[in-house]
Amino acid sequence: MKTVRFKATINNRPVDLLIAPNRRLLDVLREDLGLTGTKEGCGEGECGACTVLLDGRPVNSCLVLAPEASGRRITTVEGLAEEGRLHPLQEAFLEAGAVQCGYCTPGMLLVAKALLDKHPQPDERAIKTAISGNLCRCTGYAKIVAAIRLAAARLAGGKGAQAGSGCAKEQKGPGLPVSAGLRVVGKSPPRVDGVAKVTGCARFAADLKLPGMLYARVLRSRTPHAVLRRIDAAEALTLPGVVAVYTAADIPGQNSTGIIVKDEPVLVAIGGRIRRVGDPLALVVAESEEVAEAALAKIKVEDEELPAVFSALAAISAEAPKVHGNSNVQSVTRIKKGDAEAALAKAQVVVSRRYTTQMTEHAYLETEAGVAAVENDLLTIWVSTQNPHYDRREVARVLGLGQHRVRVVQAPTGGGFGGKLDISVQCLLGLAAWKTGRPVKMSYRREESIIASPKRHPFVIDYTSACDGEGRLLAVKVRIIGDTGAYASYGPATLKRAAVHATGPYEVPNVLIESFCVYTNNPTAGAMRGFGVPQIAFAHESQMDLLAQTLGIDPFTIRLRNCLKTGSLTATGQCLEAGVGIAETIRRVREKARELKMLEK
């Protein structure tokens, strides 16, 4: 391929390279120069994780062709600290607690620097406007805004902070002496990995690079329900740089994974069932990611499409297409306390409603990624995960190895929220590295991450509440239908938790609850913050408001009359012996509402 000269000043140092004319600035920084502090989150200029300063102006480096930046001055996060001292912005981010997963931090710091260079004393509105193109999925932005204001004050006073020497030291971060003991309680000690994250030294999974490394990509199904009849990779194997194409026939151990039920194939086998768009069919391993991507287009797939079901309500009918076995109902949870039907029949006030909640994407900024390598018959996988011990067990099962021959290292993880508890790249990376004997890297593109990753369960909730004339709860009757998608993942546990929490923080003498975990041909639903409780909380709190409205009493009063207290029995019969703070919480919220004039005194 034709090359062009790329000359620029990067972090105050001259750079002179020969590059392909179509290379992005992001790729040159990360791959050619090793400046991996600049992150790729979306590849479409939407998230801001790849922000750098181009002649002092923030730009999304994923959208800038490297030749366009030639002859210009570029600053990355690695260039913020000078002469061994953290920039006041880096110091402020640490002190204000504005660094969590750290994936958005480099881009956020550079946007903030550009702002303060132009407007040394911005107000809150100016700060929010400046960072509006940079997404953060962890902090809620409040501490980031506070950090930028703190840095502005520091810069006005000319104060900096000592950075320490070298990334290796910074990776460990500041520590607390053992003798500190309980003196840390009530304080905010610095994050142990904070310095590494604000300086760009933290190595996330996609930042890792090993000698002789290969790259892997997955061929995924485009049909939601089918029988796989044929995979022909002959043409793909003729491409220069393609090392191997693996299918289910190449898996030496068990071709199944699953945190609760082993119902998901690592690669769909010939004659096996495709159950969703995005099911993995084949794995390409090549000398470069570009070659691996090109090879995917050369693989021929034949499948026999089957009727699909995309509604959990439709899926529970006898006539619905079956996703697994003879029934789409994966599991059922039932909770009964007292006699709910009798109490409903005698109640003075009864409210019934149907509530629906949507499927939700986790949208962590770091997509799924990992690197695997084999040395002395030990397979090591560095991966973005929330579940390394489970990963190890699954990889060992799939490869037919003893667990003592598999090591999983959790790399710094750029957000997870439950979505990185399931298997993503781990087993496929292990297969590729074990078969080739060479290190292998795989990173999902954003579209692939959205297609393949688990979601929050969408619920359909039929909820009936009954109370007496003073608003004291007498009974609740609840039916929950949860769409777990094509595979169980955490579905059985999520629907069980929803059932257990269906009465909310309230004492109810008569309870009848049923929850159903249902298969469909939708994307798999798994764990997400709250794990089934946010969905049911929407329903039980709406019911309390409706009961209060019907009775003409305020929503705080009805909650205080029914909330759990020490000695209460929950819907499952648990006696709460201590630590029940809901009543005090409600009272304080009521006081604050009155203070803000949101509630009449």
Side-chain angles (χ1 to χ4, degrees):
M1 179 182 288
K2 177 184 175 182
T3 59
V4 297
R5 174 152 264 128
F6 172 76
K7 296 179 69 174
T9 300
I10 301 178
N11 298 333
N12 297 320
R13 295 181 180 179
V15 170
D16 190 344
L17 300 171
L18 288 175
I19 62 170
N22 62 347
R23 281 177 70 74
R24 302 177 300 172
L25 178 58
L26 175 63
D27 300 325
V28 171
L29 293 172
R30 288 180 54 81
E31 297 172 20
D32 298 346
L33 300 175
L35 297 172
T36 55
T38 305
K39 308 301 182 189
E40 179 160 16
C42 65
E44 297 181 358
E46 293 292 337
C47 72
C50 68
T51 300
V52 300
L53 301 185
L54 193 60
D55 292 334
R57 184 173 66 88
V59 299
N60 293 314
S61 59
C62 72
L63 298 182
V64 177
L65 289 176
E68 295 176 335
S70 193
R72 302 173 74 175
R73 180 171 51 90
I74 301 166
T75 303
T76 72
V77 69
E78 290 91 344
L80 282 186
E82 296 181 353
E83 298 179 358
R85 298 182 70 83
L86 290 181
H87 189 281
L89 270 166
Q90 294 168 311
E91 177 192 43
F93 268 59
L94 293 174
E95 290 189 22
V99 181
Q100 290 194 31
C101 84
Y103 206 78
C104 76
T105 301
M108 203 73 74
L109 283 166
L110 291 164
V111 167
K113 184 179 187 303
L115 171 67
L116 298 186
D117 285 348
K118 190 173 182 180
H119 302 290
Q121 294 296 316
D123 60 19
E124 186 169 316
R125 181 175 181 180
I127 293 171
K128 290 181 177 179
T129 299
I131 66 173
S132 61
N134 288 65
L135 302 182
C136 174
R137 292 287 287 117
C138 300
T139 67
Y141 301 98
K143 292 186 177 182
I144 293 174
V145 173
I148 296 172
R149 300 190 77 167
L150 176 60
R154 289 277 171 81
L155 284 165
K159 182 182 176 184
Q162 191 68 32
S165 58
C167 281
K169 183 175 180 180
E170 291 161 8
Q171 186 83 28
K172 295 178 182 178
L176 290 168
V178 175
S179 60
L182 294 179
R183 283 182 290 169
V184 300
V185 175
K187 300 181 183 298
S188 296
R191 295 181 66 95
V192 296
D193 56 359
V195 174
K197 287 177 175 177
V198 298
T199 56
C201 293
R203 295 291 182 261
F204 292 79
D207 301 335
L208 302 176
K209 194 171 186 178
L210 297 177
M213 191 166 69
L214 299 171
Y215 297 81
R217 292 300 309 275
V218 182
L219 179 69
R220 297 189 178 277
S221 166
R222 297 180 181 180
T223 54
H225 202 194
V227 176
L228 181 61
R229 294 302 184 192
R230 180 171 172 264
I231 295 178
D232 183 356
E235 188 177 353
L237 288 166
T238 65
L239 285 180
V242 172
V243 174
V245 178
Y246 297 117
T247 65
D250 296 299
I251 294 174
Q254 299 180 46
N255 184 19
S256 62
T257 66
I259 193 72
I260 296 174
V261 181
K262 306 298 181 190
D263 61 354
E264 184 168 359
V266 178
L267 292 168
V268 177
I270 301 299
R273 191 88 67 87
I274 293 166
R275 294 183 171 88
R276 61 168 180 172
V277 171
D279 261 349
L281 308 180
L283 178 69
V284 173
V285 185
E287 297 287 349
S288 72
E289 194 169 17
E290 292 76 15
V291 171
E293 179 73 22
L296 293 180
K298 303 292 184 181
I299 300 175
K300 297 180 176 63
V301 174
E302 293 179 10
D303 58 37
E304 178 186 339
E305 195 161 356
L306 300 173
V309 59
F310 302 108
S311 159
L313 287 176
I316 60 177
S317 71
E319 297 77 22
K322 301 302 184 289
V323 182
H324 293 267
N326 297 319
S327 173
N328 289 325
V329 177
Q330 193 280 326
S331 59
V332 182
T333 300
R334 291 186 174 89
I335 297 172
K336 185 176 181 181
K337 175 186 175 185
D339 190 339
E341 297 288 5
L344 287 169
K346 299 177 182 178
Q348 187 171 341
V349 178
V350 178
V351 172
S352 295
R353 292 290 189 278
R354 169 168 285 185
Y355 301 92
T356 59
T357 68
Q358 73 277 22
M359 179 179 290
T360 308
E361 161 67 23
H362 295 80
Y364 25 74
L365 287 191
E366 179 206 28
T367 62
E368 296 78 358
V371 175
V374 179
E375 185 175 5
N376 298 326
D377 283 337
L378 175 66
L379 171 64
T380 301
I381 303 174
W382 297 266
V383 66
S384 177
T385 181
Q386 296 177 267
N387 215 351
H389 298 286
Y390 163 69
D391 295 349
R392 181 189 186 210
R393 291 194 298 270
E394 293 297 86
V395 171
R397 284 180 61 255
V398 169
L399 297 183
L401 300 174
Q403 290 188 40
H404 65 287
R405 298 175 72 182
V406 178
R407 177 173 174 249
V408 173
V409 180
Q410 181 178 3
T413 299
F417 322 126
K420 290 178 180 173
L421 287 165
D422 290 85
I423 290 294
S424 59
V425 302
Q426 296 89 326
C427 293
L428 293 172
L429 278 173
L431 175 67
W434 194 257
K435 289 280 190 179
T436 64
R438 292 172 61 181
V440 182
K441 182 176 183 176
M442 179 158 57
S443 301
Y444 284 0
R445 308 280 175 83
R446 177 57 59 183
E447 181 180 356
E448 183 176 18
S449 176
I450 292 173
I451 290 171
S453 65
K455 316 298 177 202
R456 188 192 290 281
H457 286 79
F459 281 6
V460 176
I461 305 165
D462 290 318
Y463 204 119
T464 299
S465 306
C467 66
D468 63 19
E470 295 183 343
R472 292 183 179 84
L473 287 171
L474 300 175
V476 298
K477 181 180 179 182
V478 189
R479 182 174 183 255
I480 309 165
I481 308 293
D483 183 352
T484 202
Y487 302 103
S489 181
Y490 281 87
T494 300
L495 270 297
K496 182 173 288 186
R497 281 196 63 174
V500 168
H501 288 265
T503 52
Y506 308 110
E507 188 164 13
V508 187
N510 301 287
V511 174
L512 181 59
I513 301 165
E514 291 185 307
S515 72
F516 300 83
C517 178
V518 179
Y519 285 123
T520 67
N521 294 112
N522 288 323
T524 302
M528 189 175 186
R529 289 178 164 178
F531 215 70
V533 179
Q535 297 97 308
I536 196 65
F538 163 57
H540 63 63
E541 292 307 308
S542 296
Q543 288 290 109
M544 295 300 285
D545 287 342
L546 290 170
L547 289 172
Q549 185 179 33
T550 301
L551 290 166
I553 60 178
D554 75 74
F556 291 99
T557 298
I558 196 169
R559 285 170 170 83
L560 286 169
R561 284 179 183 168
N562 292 284
C563 64
L564 295 166
K565 56 188 179 295
T566 302
S568 292
L569 289 178
T570 67
T572 57
Q574 178 186 3
C575 180
L576 302 179
E577 298 177 355
V580 187
I582 181 67
E584 180 63 19
T585 301
I586 292 172
R587 290 189 188 98
R588 293 199 182 191
V589 171
R590 181 172 60 182
E591 290 171 9
K592 192 65 176 178
R594 286 170 174 167
E595 178 186 325
L596 297 173
K597 298 182 179 179
M598 298 171 63
L599 185 71
E600 293 183 5
K601 294 184 179 180

